[in-house]
Amino acid sequence: MMAALPNHIPSISGTSLRKNDPRSRLIVALDVSSAVAAQKIVAALGDSALTYKVGMQLYTAEGPQVVRDLVASGRRVFLDLKYHDIPNTVGAAVQEAARLGVSMLTVHAGGGGKMLRAAVEAARAVHPGLLVLGVTVLTSLDEHDLEKVGFRGTVRDEVLRLSALALANGCRGIVTSAHEASTLRSELGDDFAIVTPGVRPAGSGHADQVRVVTPAEAIAAGASHIVVGRPITEAADPAAEARAILGQIGG
Ligand code: C5P
Protein backbone atom coordinates (compact mmCIF):
# COMPACT_ATOMS: atom_id res chain seq x y z
CA MET A 1 0.00 0.00 0.00
CA MET A 2 1.26 3.49 -0.82
CA ALA A 3 2.12 5.57 2.23
CA ALA A 4 0.01 8.69 2.68
CA LEU A 5 1.76 11.94 1.76
CA PRO A 6 3.12 13.79 4.77
CA ASN A 7 0.65 16.38 5.97
CA HIS A 8 2.26 19.79 5.50
CA ILE A 9 -0.67 21.72 6.86
CA PRO A 10 0.05 23.21 10.30
CA SER A 11 -2.46 21.87 12.77
CA ILE A 12 -5.06 24.09 14.39
CA SER A 13 -6.80 21.20 16.13
CA GLY A 14 -8.63 22.28 19.22
CA THR A 15 -9.55 25.75 17.91
CA SER A 16 -13.02 26.37 19.27
CA LEU A 17 -15.38 28.96 17.91
CA ARG A 18 -17.34 31.30 20.11
CA LYS A 19 -20.90 32.07 19.14
CA ASN A 20 -20.95 34.84 16.49
CA ASP A 21 -17.34 34.24 15.47
CA PRO A 22 -17.39 35.39 11.82
CA ARG A 23 -15.00 32.55 10.94
CA SER A 24 -17.93 30.15 11.22
CA ARG A 25 -19.43 31.91 8.17
CA LEU A 26 -16.38 32.15 5.91
CA ILE A 27 -15.54 29.35 3.47
CA VAL A 28 -12.38 29.70 1.41
CA ALA A 29 -12.49 27.99 -1.99
CA LEU A 30 -9.30 26.04 -2.74
CA ASP A 31 -9.65 26.20 -6.52
CA VAL A 32 -6.08 25.14 -7.25
CA SER A 33 -4.56 22.21 -9.11
CA SER A 34 -2.33 20.61 -6.48
CA ALA A 35 -2.19 19.69 -2.82
CA VAL A 36 1.03 21.70 -2.49
CA ALA A 37 -0.70 24.85 -3.73
CA ALA A 38 -3.64 24.19 -1.38
CA GLN A 39 -1.33 23.61 1.58
CA LYS A 40 0.44 26.93 0.92
CA ILE A 41 -2.85 28.82 1.03
CA VAL A 42 -4.07 27.05 4.16
CA ALA A 43 -0.76 27.61 5.94
CA ALA A 44 -0.74 31.30 4.93
CA LEU A 45 -4.25 31.73 6.32
CA GLY A 46 -3.39 30.18 9.69
CA ASP A 47 -6.37 30.49 11.97
CA SER A 48 -8.03 33.32 10.02
CA ALA A 49 -10.06 30.75 8.05
CA LEU A 50 -11.26 27.40 9.32
CA THR A 51 -13.45 26.04 6.51
CA TYR A 52 -12.21 25.17 3.03
CA LYS A 53 -14.12 24.28 -0.09
CA VAL A 54 -12.57 21.42 -2.05
CA GLY A 55 -14.16 21.35 -5.47
CA MET A 56 -13.88 19.22 -8.54
CA GLN A 57 -10.55 20.61 -9.75
CA LEU A 58 -8.50 19.90 -6.62
CA TYR A 59 -10.37 16.67 -5.85
CA THR A 60 -9.86 15.36 -9.39
CA ALA A 61 -6.17 16.24 -9.26
CA GLU A 62 -5.36 14.97 -5.77
CA GLY A 63 -8.15 12.69 -4.62
CA PRO A 64 -9.39 12.16 -1.06
CA GLN A 65 -6.00 12.54 0.66
CA VAL A 66 -6.23 16.32 0.37
CA VAL A 67 -9.52 16.15 2.28
CA ARG A 68 -8.11 13.79 4.92
CA ASP A 69 -5.13 16.11 5.46
CA LEU A 70 -7.34 19.16 5.94
CA VAL A 71 -9.59 17.32 8.37
CA ALA A 72 -6.61 15.91 10.29
CA SER A 73 -5.20 19.43 10.65
CA GLY A 74 -8.37 20.62 12.36
CA ARG A 75 -9.97 22.38 9.37
CA ARG A 76 -13.53 21.85 8.22
CA VAL A 77 -14.09 20.72 4.66
CA PHE A 78 -16.92 21.65 2.33
CA LEU A 79 -16.74 18.99 -0.41
CA ASP A 80 -18.28 20.64 -3.45
CA LEU A 81 -18.60 17.81 -5.97
CA LYS A 82 -22.27 18.51 -6.79
CA TYR A 83 -23.36 14.88 -6.89
CA HIS A 84 -26.08 14.12 -9.44
CA ASP A 85 -26.76 10.45 -10.30
CA ILE A 86 -29.19 7.67 -9.41
CA PRO A 87 -30.10 7.55 -5.70
CA ASN A 88 -28.08 4.39 -4.99
CA THR A 89 -24.90 5.85 -6.51
CA VAL A 90 -25.26 9.23 -4.82
CA GLY A 91 -26.02 7.60 -1.46
CA ALA A 92 -22.87 5.47 -1.76
CA ALA A 93 -20.73 8.49 -2.70
CA VAL A 94 -22.12 10.54 0.19
CA GLN A 95 -21.35 7.69 2.55
CA GLU A 96 -17.69 7.76 1.44
CA ALA A 97 -17.56 11.56 1.76
CA ALA A 98 -18.99 11.31 5.27
CA ARG A 99 -16.31 8.76 6.16
CA LEU A 100 -13.66 11.27 5.04
CA GLY A 101 -14.97 13.58 7.75
CA VAL A 102 -16.26 16.42 5.59
CA SER A 103 -18.58 18.92 7.29
CA MET A 104 -20.59 20.02 4.25
CA LEU A 105 -21.20 18.65 0.76
CA THR A 106 -23.32 19.43 -2.30
CA VAL A 107 -25.89 17.50 -4.31
CA HIS A 108 -27.87 18.82 -7.29
CA ALA A 109 -31.46 19.43 -6.23
CA GLY A 110 -32.41 18.64 -9.85
CA GLY A 111 -31.51 14.99 -9.13
CA GLY A 112 -34.98 14.68 -7.60
CA GLY A 113 -36.50 13.80 -4.25
CA LYS A 114 -35.39 10.17 -4.13
CA MET A 115 -31.79 11.10 -4.84
CA LEU A 116 -31.82 13.90 -2.26
CA ARG A 117 -33.32 11.60 0.36
CA ALA A 118 -30.69 8.92 -0.39
CA ALA A 119 -27.93 11.53 0.10
CA VAL A 120 -29.38 12.79 3.36
CA GLU A 121 -29.91 9.31 4.78
CA ALA A 122 -26.39 8.18 3.85
CA ALA A 123 -24.92 11.29 5.51
CA ARG A 124 -26.98 10.83 8.67
CA ALA A 125 -25.97 7.20 9.04
CA VAL A 126 -22.26 8.09 9.23
CA HIS A 127 -22.06 11.68 10.48
CA PRO A 128 -25.35 13.22 11.65
CA GLY A 129 -23.87 16.75 11.75
CA LEU A 130 -22.90 16.67 8.07
CA LEU A 131 -24.67 19.46 6.23
CA VAL A 132 -26.07 18.23 2.91
CA LEU A 133 -26.60 21.26 0.67
CA GLY A 134 -28.83 21.35 -2.38
CA VAL A 135 -27.48 23.15 -5.45
CA THR A 136 -30.31 24.86 -7.29
CA VAL A 137 -29.51 26.89 -10.42
CA LEU A 138 -25.85 27.45 -11.31
CA THR A 139 -25.02 31.13 -11.15
CA SER A 140 -23.62 30.92 -14.68
CA LEU A 141 -27.11 30.27 -16.10
CA ASP A 142 -29.54 33.03 -17.01
CA GLU A 143 -33.19 32.75 -18.02
CA HIS A 144 -32.29 32.23 -21.67
CA ASP A 145 -30.01 29.28 -20.77
CA LEU A 146 -32.69 27.82 -18.50
CA GLU A 147 -35.26 27.96 -21.28
CA LYS A 148 -32.87 26.09 -23.61
CA VAL A 149 -32.53 23.23 -21.11
CA GLY A 150 -36.27 22.99 -20.73
CA PHE A 151 -37.08 25.10 -17.66
CA ARG A 152 -40.02 27.41 -18.15
CA GLY A 153 -39.88 29.71 -15.14
CA THR A 154 -37.67 32.59 -14.09
CA VAL A 155 -34.36 31.95 -12.31
CA ARG A 156 -36.08 33.00 -9.09
CA ASP A 157 -38.94 30.52 -9.62
CA GLU A 158 -36.53 27.68 -10.35
CA VAL A 159 -34.34 28.45 -7.34
CA LEU A 160 -37.39 28.58 -5.09
CA ARG A 161 -38.89 25.35 -6.45
CA LEU A 162 -35.62 23.40 -6.26
CA SER A 163 -34.84 24.78 -2.78
CA ALA A 164 -38.24 23.72 -1.49
CA LEU A 165 -37.68 20.25 -2.97
CA ALA A 166 -34.24 19.96 -1.34
CA LEU A 167 -35.51 21.06 2.07
CA ALA A 168 -38.58 18.80 1.86
CA ASN A 169 -36.26 15.86 1.30
CA GLY A 170 -34.05 16.53 4.29
CA CYS A 171 -31.30 18.84 3.02
CA ARG A 172 -30.43 21.37 5.70
CA GLY A 173 -29.05 23.99 3.38
CA ILE A 174 -29.02 25.50 -0.10
CA VAL A 175 -26.28 26.91 -2.29
CA THR A 176 -27.53 30.00 -4.06
CA SER A 177 -26.52 33.45 -5.19
CA ALA A 178 -27.04 36.26 -2.70
CA HIS A 179 -29.57 37.70 -5.16
CA GLU A 180 -31.98 34.86 -4.36
CA ALA A 181 -31.10 34.53 -0.66
CA SER A 182 -33.61 37.06 0.62
CA THR A 183 -36.42 35.45 -1.40
CA LEU A 184 -35.53 32.07 0.11
CA ARG A 185 -35.56 33.51 3.61
CA SER A 186 -38.92 35.19 3.15
CA GLU A 187 -40.55 32.22 1.40
CA LEU A 188 -38.93 29.26 3.18
CA GLY A 189 -37.86 30.57 6.59
CA ASP A 190 -34.71 30.78 8.65
CA ASP A 191 -34.23 27.18 9.63
CA PHE A 192 -31.64 26.19 7.02
CA ALA A 193 -28.20 27.23 5.81
CA ILE A 194 -27.74 29.44 2.77
CA VAL A 195 -24.27 29.26 1.26
CA THR A 196 -23.52 32.01 -1.25
CA PRO A 197 -20.61 32.26 -3.68
CA GLY A 198 -19.92 35.25 -5.92
CA VAL A 199 -18.78 37.41 -3.00
CA ARG A 200 -16.20 40.15 -3.38
CA PRO A 201 -14.75 42.23 -0.54
CA ALA A 202 -16.04 45.78 -0.31
CA GLY A 203 -13.77 48.20 -2.13
CA SER A 204 -12.07 45.55 -4.26
CA GLY A 205 -13.12 47.23 -7.50
CA HIS A 206 -14.75 44.04 -8.85
CA ALA A 207 -18.28 44.99 -7.96
CA ASP A 208 -19.08 46.68 -11.27
CA GLN A 209 -17.50 43.97 -13.44
CA VAL A 210 -19.62 40.96 -12.56
CA ARG A 211 -22.81 40.26 -10.66
CA VAL A 212 -21.24 40.04 -7.23
CA VAL A 213 -22.06 41.18 -3.72
CA THR A 214 -19.97 42.21 -0.74
CA PRO A 215 -19.76 40.02 2.38
CA ALA A 216 -22.00 42.42 4.30
CA GLU A 217 -24.60 42.42 1.51
CA ALA A 218 -24.62 38.61 1.37
CA ILE A 219 -25.16 38.33 5.13
CA ALA A 220 -27.83 41.04 5.06
CA ALA A 221 -29.62 39.13 2.27
CA GLY A 222 -29.82 36.08 4.54
CA ALA A 223 -26.68 34.06 3.77
CA SER A 224 -25.44 31.95 6.66
CA HIS A 225 -22.11 31.25 4.91
CA ILE A 226 -20.14 32.97 2.17
CA VAL A 227 -17.70 31.30 -0.23
CA VAL A 228 -14.71 33.38 -1.27
CA GLY A 229 -12.03 32.07 -3.57
CA ARG A 230 -9.62 34.15 -5.61
CA PRO A 231 -9.88 37.42 -3.67
CA ILE A 232 -8.28 35.53 -0.77
CA THR A 233 -6.27 32.78 -2.46
CA GLU A 234 -4.63 35.12 -4.99
CA ALA A 235 -4.03 37.97 -2.55
CA ALA A 236 -0.47 38.99 -1.74
CA ASP A 237 -1.39 38.53 1.91
CA PRO A 238 -4.26 35.99 2.12
CA ALA A 239 -4.55 36.25 5.92
CA ALA A 240 -4.90 40.04 5.80
CA GLU A 241 -7.56 39.72 3.08
CA ALA A 242 -9.44 37.08 5.08
CA ARG A 243 -9.33 39.25 8.21
CA ALA A 244 -10.68 42.20 6.23
CA ILE A 245 -13.56 40.01 5.02
CA LEU A 246 -14.22 38.73 8.55
CA GLY A 247 -14.45 42.38 9.62
CA GLN A 248 -17.03 42.97 6.90
CA ILE A 249 -19.05 39.90 7.96
CA GLY A 250 -19.21 41.27 11.49
CA GLY A 251 -20.17 39.49 14.70
O1 C5P B 1 -14.89 33.67 -7.77
P1 C5P B 1 -14.33 32.94 -6.59
O2 C5P B 1 -12.90 32.52 -6.80
O3 C5P B 1 -14.56 33.63 -5.28
O4 C5P B 1 -15.19 31.60 -6.56
C1 C5P B 1 -15.18 30.72 -5.48
C2 C5P B 1 -16.15 29.60 -5.71
O5 C5P B 1 -17.45 30.09 -5.82
C3 C5P B 1 -15.89 28.79 -6.98
O6 C5P B 1 -15.33 27.57 -6.56
C4 C5P B 1 -17.23 28.56 -7.59
O7 C5P B 1 -17.66 27.22 -7.34
C5 C5P B 1 -18.18 29.44 -6.84
N1 C5P B 1 -18.81 30.48 -7.66
C6 C5P B 1 -20.12 30.33 -8.07
N2 C5P B 1 -20.75 31.31 -8.76
C7 C5P B 1 -20.12 32.45 -9.07
C8 C5P B 1 -18.80 32.63 -8.68
C9 C5P B 1 -18.17 31.62 -7.97
O8 C5P B 1 -20.72 29.30 -7.78
N3 C5P B 1 -20.75 33.38 -9.74
Side-chain angles (χ1 to χ4, degrees), residues 65-136:
Q65 192 59 40
V66 71
V67 175
R68 291 192 192 100
D69 287 349
L70 283 163
V71 172
S73 78
R75 271 78 177 184
R76 298 181 194 172
V77 174
F78 168 18
L79 188 63
D80 185 23
L81 298 180
K82 299 186 178 68
Y83 296 125
H84 190 168
D85 208 313
I86 60 169
N88 188 59
T89 301
V90 168
V94 169
Q95 184 177 49
E96 298 304 334
R99 287 180 179 149
L100 290 175
V102 306
S103 300
M104 313 162 85
L105 60 78
T106 44
V107 291
H108 267 289
K114 285 200 219 71
M115 188 205 81
L116 293 164
R117 173 75 37 205
V120 167
E121 282 168 6
R124 266 189 208 146
V126 181
H127 174 9
L130 169 50
L131 204 49
V132 177
L133 303 165
V135 174
T136 58

Side-chain angles (χ1 to χ4, degrees), residues 29 31 53 80 82 139 197-198 200 227-231:
D31 293 327
K53 182 166 93 78
D80 185 23
K82 299 186 178 68
T139 51
R200 289 290 173 269
V227 178
V228 185
R230 290 159 294 177

Side-chain angles (χ1 to χ4, degrees), residues 15 35 48 75 97 106 190 194 199 202 223 240:
T15 303
S48 42
R75 271 78 177 184
T106 44
D190 291 325
I194 295 182
V199 176

Side-chain angles (χ1 to χ4, degrees), residues 9 28-29 58-59 70 77 84 95 148-149 221 241:
I9 308 173
V28 177
L58 182 57
Y59 194 86
L70 283 163
V77 174
H84 190 168
Q95 184 177 49
K148 289 213 157 173
V149 294
E241 194 63 45

Side-chain angles (χ1 to χ4, degrees), residues 2-249:
M2 233 170 68
L5 289 170
N7 189 351
H8 294 294
I9 308 173
S11 176
I12 50 160
S13 299
T15 303
S16 60
L17 282 175
R18 282 214 213 107
K19 207 172 166 259
N20 293 336
D21 187 324
R23 291 180 299 175
S24 62
R25 294 172 173 268
L26 175 64
I27 301 167
V28 177
L30 290 174
D31 293 327
V32 291
S33 60
S34 71
V36 169
Q39 286 161 1
K40 262 195 207 150
I41 294 164
V42 177
L45 282 166
D47 65 1
S48 42
L50 305 179
T51 308
Y52 290 90
K53 182 166 93 78
V54 174
M56 55 178 81
Q57 180 189 12
L58 182 57
Y59 194 86
T60 303
E62 295 285 359
Q65 192 59 40
V66 71
V67 175
R68 291 192 192 100
D69 287 349
L70 283 163
V71 172
S73 78
R75 271 78 177 184
R76 298 181 194 172
V77 174
F78 168 18
L79 188 63
D80 185 23
L81 298 180
K82 299 186 178 68
Y83 296 125
H84 190 168
D85 208 313
I86 60 169
N88 188 59
T89 301
V90 168
V94 169
Q95 184 177 49
E96 298 304 334
R99 287 180 179 149
L100 290 175
V102 306
S103 300
M104 313 162 85
L105 60 78
T106 44
V107 291
H108 267 289
K114 285 200 219 71
M115 188 205 81
L116 293 164
R117 173 75 37 205
V120 167
E121 282 168 6
R124 266 189 208 146
V126 181
H127 174 9
L130 169 50
L131 204 49
V132 177
L133 303 165
V135 174
T136 58
V137 177
L138 298 176
T139 51
S140 51
L141 301 177
D142 62 18
E143 247 139 65
H144 185 66
D145 299 314
L146 284 186
E147 196 187 327
K148 289 213 157 173
V149 294
F151 290 117
R152 293 282 166 256
T154 62
V155 170
R156 182 184 170 279
D157 292 342
E158 293 306 323
V159 169
L160 198 51
R161 196 170 50 75
L162 290 167
S163 298
L165 180 72
L167 297 176
N169 283 283
C171 291
R172 292 191 295 120
I174 302 296
V175 179
T176 193
S177 108
H179 301 283
E180 275 80 40
S182 54
T183 303
L184 292 191
R185 286 289 179 229
S186 58
E187 300 283 331
L188 302 174
D190 291 325
D191 197 21
F192 61 97
I194 295 182
V195 178
T196 61
V199 176
R200 289 290 173 269
S204 65
H206 287 274
D208 51 352
Q209 291 172 17
V210 270
R211 221 168 146 248
V212 291
V213 297
T214 65
E217 286 166 346
I219 301 296
S224 55
H225 301 76
I226 60 171
V227 178
V228 185
R230 290 159 294 177
I232 290 177
T233 60
E234 294 179 359
D237 184 347
E241 194 63 45
R243 283 194 297 270
I245 290 170
L246 293 171
Q248 293 171 29
I249 290 174

